Amino acid sequence: MADMVVPTFRRSFKYRIYPTKAQIKTFESWLELCRELYNAALEERREAWKKGVSINYYKQNPQLPAIKKERPEFGEVYSQVLQDVLGRLDGAFQDFFRRIKLGQTPGYPRFKSRDRYNSMTWPQNAGFWLIDTNKLHLGNLGKVRIKLHRALEGRPKTCTVKREAGKWYALFSCSDVPGRVYPPATGEIGIDMGLTTYATPTEGEKVENPRWYRKTEAKLAIAQRNLSRKKRGSKNYAEAKQRLAKLRAKEANQRLDFQHKLAHRTVCENQLIAVEDLKPEEMIEKSSKGLSKSISDAAWAQFLAILACKAEEAGRQFVKVPAWGTSSTCSSCGTVKQKTLSERVHSCPCGLVLDRDINASLNILRLGRSLRDEHREASKEESITHGDASC
């Protein structure tokens, strides 16, 4: 019997790095040069478009040698880091045109302020490599101390140095990373996402909403007021700004940790995972200010993206079902009865009385099973058709 082929994935690994004061100064100088290049390239594209001329990455990249000759400080930055800056801008324009074709809000690429440009990428493995387990070599910079708290897997393709709330990190994008081994599972689950309860499964306990932003909101408001009182550009302003950034980073990290753990547990226990196809951005636009804050705090889209990735890696079936009617439809008889947000109990003339969220999760699971079966039938018909064609 042939050995089973282990699927591989593209995955990122994030590690803390500890540059010296001199290296931090170099990093900050390079980030400013990269930002300047990005903005200059964006300005060139805008002016060319006004004249009816199209400019892309392949027309801007050959200009780098001339820029280095005129501005020698650009020559200190590793060449492929500068090339990646132009590639990043090109990707932003490709996304802009893609959104136009899809009829979405275009979002024209913006000029970057100092606060909005915090990373630079060494695109090829030749420009960076690890030395033992505590040093990272970066092209044109040298060795930087790094803490490998877990093994780096696969083949590193890019290394991105990122500044976050006064700390520095190295993010490696690796290809051919072996998939994790998950235990066999036969469970099937429908998950209703909410605000009072973060997630309500068809079986098991409800998952309470941690409300990370709400817990930090008062501290964030105080830090924001302190920042607004400081003179812009002063040392006190920089310190207050960093305190605010640390609070925001902690809140985001707590939310991400919670979502990863919940997704991992869900994938380990279930073969079929059905969820609502939520549109948080539309919900935020239509909601009141207080409710929109809570929707943003829940970050459903981020959680569902994490859950989908883990489900794919584990070989689970992940199904998104239409969100309309899951709460108002009776899971027993199918009767539709609209409810207000304050109505937390589903009571139907057929005699079914149960928690509103559990009723919704049962409907989500039913729809998920239906969509899964339809997909199976379509796959069978396609395989039969291809089989007849080959005969």
Side-chain angles (χ1 to χ4, degrees), residues 3-291:
D3 294 336
M4 182 183 294
V5 178
V6 178
T8 59
F9 300 87
R10 183 88 176 226
R11 181 173 290 136
S12 294
F13 296 83
K14 184 176 180 179
Y15 303 96
R16 180 84 184 271
I17 60 175
Y18 299 88
T20 63
K21 290 183 179 180
Q23 289 173 336
I24 290 175
K25 189 175 180 181
T26 300
F27 279 149
E28 291 175 343
S29 172
W30 288 3
L31 281 174
E32 181 59 23
L33 290 171
C34 289
R35 185 183 73 89
E36 184 182 347
L37 177 64
Y38 184 97
N39 290 340
L42 174 56
E43 177 67 19
E44 183 182 32
R45 287 195 180 212
R46 285 184 52 179
E47 294 303 317
W49 180 82
K50 292 177 182 178
K51 298 176 182 177
V53 179
S54 177
I55 292 182
N56 57 22
Y57 170 82
Y58 299 100
K59 290 184 178 180
Q60 290 187 315
N61 189 51
Q63 300 177 37
L64 287 176
I67 293 173
K68 292 178 182 179
K69 188 175 181 180
E70 185 176 346
R71 298 277 303 278
E73 58 269 29
F74 278 94
E76 299 175 4
V77 185
Y78 192 67
S79 59
Q80 291 179 352
V81 171
L82 297 177
Q83 292 172 14
D84 179 76
V85 173
L86 299 179
R88 187 182 299 189
L89 176 63
D90 196 64
F93 271 98
Q94 290 176 14
D95 291 339
F96 167 70
F97 292 124
R98 174 181 55 79
R99 288 190 291 268
I100 290 177
K101 290 181 180 179
L102 294 175
Q104 300 173 349
T105 304
Y108 190 82
R110 298 190 299 176
F111 291 101
K112 301 293 184 181
S113 66
R114 285 183 175 85
D115 295 336
R116 290 183 175 271
Y117 205 99
N118 293 298
S119 65
M120 48 191 167
T121 300
W122 279 253
Q124 292 184 4
N125 194 17
F128 65 91
W129 58 87
L130 289 170
I131 303 172
D132 298 326
T133 58
N134 62 347
K135 290 290 191 299
L136 169 65
H137 186 280
L138 296 170
N140 284 24
L141 182 73
K143 301 175 184 178
V144 182
R145 191 160 65 92
I146 185 171
K147 184 176 181 180
L148 294 177
H149 61 276
R150 58 171 172 162
L152 186 66
E153 302 176 49
R155 293 190 301 166
K157 306 295 288 184
T158 66
C159 175
T160 299
V161 172
K162 189 173 184 180
R163 176 179 55 192
E164 290 183 7
K167 298 178 182 179
W168 294 86
Y169 298 89
L171 293 84
F172 297 93
S173 179
C174 302
S175 62
D176 302 329
V177 179
R180 297 187 180 95
V181 179
Y182 285 83
T186 56
E188 297 181 344
I189 190 175
I191 302 176
D192 177 58
M193 308 300 298
L195 296 177
T196 304
T197 302
Y198 189 82
T200 302
T202 47
E203 294 181 3
E205 297 181 358
K206 290 185 174 184
V207 179
E208 294 303 317
N209 189 355
R211 303 180 187 274
W212 296 119
Y213 174 76
R214 292 296 189 181
K215 290 178 180 178
T216 320
E217 190 174 14
K219 292 182 180 179
L220 287 170
I222 293 172
Q224 185 66 58
R225 283 198 298 271
N226 288 336
L227 177 64
S228 64
R229 294 190 184 107
K230 303 296 186 291
K231 183 179 178 181
R232 185 178 292 272
S234 66
K235 184 179 179 181
N236 289 338
Y237 181 89
E239 291 176 352
K241 184 177 178 181
Q242 189 165 333
R243 281 196 297 270
L244 178 61
K246 285 182 177 179
L247 282 173
R248 288 174 174 167
K250 183 178 180 180
E251 174 217 336
N253 289 336
Q254 286 175 322
R255 182 183 296 106
L256 194 62
D257 179 69
F258 163 77
Q259 292 177 337
H260 270 287
K261 288 176 179 176
L262 177 58
H264 178 77
R265 185 169 73 246
T266 302
V267 167
C268 284
E269 297 173 353
N270 300 280
Q271 177 60 33
L272 171 65
I273 303 167
V275 299
E276 291 176 296
D277 188 10
L278 298 173
K279 301 289 190 294
E281 291 183 359
E282 296 179 7
M283 297 169 69
I284 290 172
E285 290 179 1
K286 298 176 182 178
S287 301
S288 61
K289 183 178 180 181
L291 194 59

